[in-house]
PDB file of all heavy atoms in Angstrom:
ATOM      1  N   LEU G 293     199.521  33.613-176.582  1.00 98.00           N
ATOM      2  CA  LEU G 293     199.138  35.021-176.713  1.00 98.00           C
ATOM      3  C   LEU G 293     200.340  35.897-177.101  1.00 98.00           C
ATOM      4  O   LEU G 293     200.256  36.696-178.025  1.00 98.00           O
ATOM      5  CB  LEU G 293     198.480  35.498-175.414  1.00 98.00           C
ATOM      6  CG  LEU G 293     198.275  37.023-175.247  1.00 98.00           C
ATOM      7  CD1 LEU G 293     197.179  37.489-176.208  1.00 98.00           C
ATOM      8  CD2 LEU G 293     197.899  37.378-173.814  1.00 98.00           C
ATOM      9  N   ARG G 294     201.409  35.709-176.347  1.00 98.00           N
ATOM     10  CA  ARG G 294     202.608  36.524-176.567  1.00 98.00           C
ATOM     11  C   ARG G 294     203.169  36.272-177.955  1.00 98.00           C
ATOM     12  O   ARG G 294     203.586  37.217-178.681  1.00 98.00           O
ATOM     13  CB  ARG G 294     203.632  36.291-175.498  1.00 98.00           C
ATOM     14  CG  ARG G 294     203.215  36.867-174.166  1.00 98.00           C
ATOM     15  CD  ARG G 294     204.236  36.548-173.080  1.00 98.00           C
ATOM     16  NE  ARG G 294     205.587  37.042-173.353  1.00 98.00           N
ATOM     17  CZ  ARG G 294     206.669  36.763-172.615  1.00 98.00           C
ATOM     18  NH1 ARG G 294     206.529  36.007-171.572  1.00 98.00           N
ATOM     19  NH2 ARG G 294     207.838  37.260-172.960  1.00 98.00           N
ATOM     20  N   LYS G 295     203.174  35.022-178.408  1.00 98.00           N
ATOM     21  CA  LYS G 295     203.763  34.661-179.678  1.00 98.00           C
ATOM     22  C   LYS G 295     202.942  35.282-180.798  1.00 98.00           C
ATOM     23  O   LYS G 295     203.491  35.926-181.728  1.00 98.00           O
ATOM     24  CB  LYS G 295     203.753  33.160-179.835  1.00 98.00           C
ATOM     25  CG  LYS G 295     204.687  32.684-180.925  1.00 98.00           C
ATOM     26  CD  LYS G 295     204.974  31.207-180.815  1.00 98.00           C
ATOM     27  CE  LYS G 295     205.692  30.736-182.108  1.00 98.00           C
ATOM     28  NZ  LYS G 295     205.087  29.493-182.623  1.00 98.00           N
ATOM     29  N   ALA G 296     201.607  35.187-180.674  1.00 98.00           N
ATOM     30  CA  ALA G 296     200.721  35.760-181.701  1.00 98.00           C
ATOM     31  C   ALA G 296     200.886  37.293-181.775  1.00 98.00           C
ATOM     32  O   ALA G 296     200.975  37.876-182.861  1.00 98.00           O
ATOM     33  CB  ALA G 296     199.268  35.402-181.402  1.00 98.00           C
ATOM     34  N   ALA G 297     200.921  37.930-180.605  1.00 98.00           N
ATOM     35  CA  ALA G 297     201.042  39.388-180.563  1.00 98.00           C
ATOM     36  C   ALA G 297     202.393  39.864-181.071  1.00 98.00           C
ATOM     37  O   ALA G 297     202.502  40.846-181.814  1.00 98.00           O
ATOM     38  CB  ALA G 297     200.786  39.852-179.149  1.00 98.00           C
ATOM     39  N   GLN G 298     203.445  39.134-180.689  1.00 96.00           N
ATOM     40  CA  GLN G 298     204.771  39.490-181.175  1.00 96.00           C
ATOM     41  C   GLN G 298     204.868  39.485-182.682  1.00 96.00           C
ATOM     42  O   GLN G 298     205.549  40.318-183.295  1.00 96.00           O
ATOM     43  CB  GLN G 298     205.848  38.477-180.640  1.00 96.00           C
ATOM     44  CG  GLN G 298     206.338  38.825-179.239  1.00 96.00           C
ATOM     45  CD  GLN G 298     207.093  37.667-178.618  1.00 96.00           C
ATOM     46  OE1 GLN G 298     207.807  36.900-179.325  1.00 96.00           O
ATOM     47  NE2 GLN G 298     206.920  37.486-177.351  1.00 96.00           N
ATOM     48  N   GLY G 299     204.160  38.567-183.274  1.00 96.00           N
ATOM     49  CA  GLY G 299     204.192  38.455-184.747  1.00 96.00           C
ATOM     50  C   GLY G 299     203.383  39.572-185.418  1.00 96.00           C
ATOM     51  O   GLY G 299     203.608  39.853-186.610  1.00 96.00           O
ATOM     52  N   ALA G 300     202.466  40.170-184.692  1.00 98.00           N
ATOM     53  CA  ALA G 300     201.532  41.102-185.350  1.00 98.00           C
ATOM     54  C   ALA G 300     201.745  42.551-185.030  1.00 98.00           C
ATOM     55  O   ALA G 300     201.473  43.395-185.833  1.00 98.00           O
ATOM     56  CB  ALA G 300     200.097  40.690-184.984  1.00 98.00           C
ATOM     57  N   LEU G 301     202.222  42.833-183.806  1.00 98.00           N
ATOM     58  CA  LEU G 301     202.183  44.214-183.319  1.00 98.00           C
ATOM     59  C   LEU G 301     203.536  44.909-183.426  1.00 98.00           C
ATOM     60  O   LEU G 301     204.596  44.301-183.171  1.00 98.00           O
ATOM     61  CB  LEU G 301     201.728  44.237-181.853  1.00 98.00           C
ATOM     62  CG  LEU G 301     200.389  43.566-181.598  1.00 98.00           C
ATOM     63  CD1 LEU G 301     200.050  43.620-180.127  1.00 98.00           C
ATOM     64  CD2 LEU G 301     199.274  44.194-182.419  1.00 98.00           C
ATOM     65  N   SER G 302     203.508  46.187-183.740  1.00 98.00           N
ATOM     66  CA  SER G 302     204.717  46.978-183.792  1.00 98.00           C
ATOM     67  C   SER G 302     204.650  48.126-182.828  1.00 98.00           C
ATOM     68  O   SER G 302     203.589  48.420-182.258  1.00 98.00           O
ATOM     69  CB  SER G 302     204.937  47.531-185.205  1.00 98.00           C
ATOM     70  OG  SER G 302     203.844  48.374-185.541  1.00 98.00           O
ATOM     71  N   GLY G 303     205.785  48.754-182.565  1.00 97.00           N
ATOM     72  CA  GLY G 303     205.805  49.868-181.638  1.00 97.00           C
ATOM     73  C   GLY G 303     207.252  50.193-181.300  1.00 97.00           C
ATOM     74  O   GLY G 303     208.168  49.598-181.855  1.00 97.00           O
ATOM     75  N   PRO G 304     207.492  51.162-180.427  1.00 98.00           N
ATOM     76  CA  PRO G 304     208.831  51.558-180.082  1.00 98.00           C
ATOM     77  C   PRO G 304     209.593  50.352-179.433  1.00 98.00           C
ATOM     78  O   PRO G 304     208.975  49.457-178.933  1.00 98.00           O
ATOM     79  CB  PRO G 304     208.672  52.710-179.082  1.00 98.00           C
ATOM     80  CG  PRO G 304     207.237  52.834-178.822  1.00 98.00           C
ATOM     81  CD  PRO G 304     206.450  51.969-179.745  1.00 98.00           C
ATOM     82  N   ASP G 305     210.944  50.407-179.561  1.00 95.00           N
ATOM     83  CA  ASP G 305     211.715  49.236-179.163  1.00 95.00           C
ATOM     84  C   ASP G 305     212.072  49.113-177.677  1.00 95.00           C
ATOM     85  O   ASP G 305     212.861  48.254-177.290  1.00 95.00           O
ATOM     86  CB  ASP G 305     213.022  49.206-179.995  1.00 95.00           C
ATOM     87  CG  ASP G 305     213.963  50.327-179.592  1.00 95.00           C
ATOM     88  OD1 ASP G 305     213.564  51.169-178.765  1.00 95.00           O
ATOM     89  OD2 ASP G 305     215.104  50.354-180.107  1.00 95.00           O
ATOM     90  N   GLY G 306     211.516  50.006-176.857  1.00 96.00           N
ATOM     91  CA  GLY G 306     211.779  49.887-175.413  1.00 96.00           C
ATOM     92  C   GLY G 306     213.033  50.585-174.925  1.00 96.00           C
ATOM     93  O   GLY G 306     213.428  50.438-173.782  1.00 96.00           O
ATOM     94  N   THR G 307     213.630  51.389-175.758  1.00 97.00           N
ATOM     95  CA  THR G 307     214.789  52.184-175.345  1.00 97.00           C
ATOM     96  C   THR G 307     214.293  53.531-174.864  1.00 97.00           C
ATOM     97  O   THR G 307     213.588  54.242-175.609  1.00 97.00           O
ATOM     98  CB  THR G 307     215.775  52.411-176.494  1.00 97.00           C
ATOM     99  OG1 THR G 307     216.015  51.149-177.115  1.00 97.00           O
ATOM    100  CG2 THR G 307     217.055  52.994-176.004  1.00 97.00           C
ATOM    101  N   VAL G 308     214.648  53.864-173.623  1.00 97.00           N
ATOM    102  CA  VAL G 308     214.213  55.183-173.107  1.00 97.00           C
ATOM    103  C   VAL G 308     215.328  56.229-173.365  1.00 97.00           C
ATOM    104  O   VAL G 308     216.494  55.975-172.992  1.00 97.00           O
ATOM    105  CB  VAL G 308     213.886  55.096-171.633  1.00 97.00           C
ATOM    106  CG1 VAL G 308     213.650  56.486-171.000  1.00 97.00           C
ATOM    107  CG2 VAL G 308     212.678  54.231-171.408  1.00 97.00           C
ATOM    108  N   GLN G 309     214.993  57.304-174.023  1.00 95.00           N
ATOM    109  CA  GLN G 309     215.978  58.371-174.266  1.00 95.00           C
ATOM    110  C   GLN G 309     215.945  59.400-173.182  1.00 95.00           C
ATOM    111  O   GLN G 309     214.879  59.979-172.906  1.00 95.00           O
ATOM    112  CB  GLN G 309     215.653  59.053-175.614  1.00 95.00           C
ATOM    113  CG  GLN G 309     215.613  58.113-176.830  1.00 95.00           C
ATOM    114  CD  GLN G 309     216.981  57.514-177.161  1.00 95.00           C
ATOM    115  OE1 GLN G 309     218.031  58.000-176.668  1.00 95.00           O
ATOM    116  NE2 GLN G 309     216.970  56.504-177.998  1.00 95.00           N
TER     117      GLN G 309
END
Side-chain angles (χ1 to χ4, degrees):
L293 168 69
R294 288 176 61 187
K295 198 164 168 226
Q298 272 166 39
L301 305 178
S302 60
D305 70 354
T307 312
V308 171
Q309 302 293 346

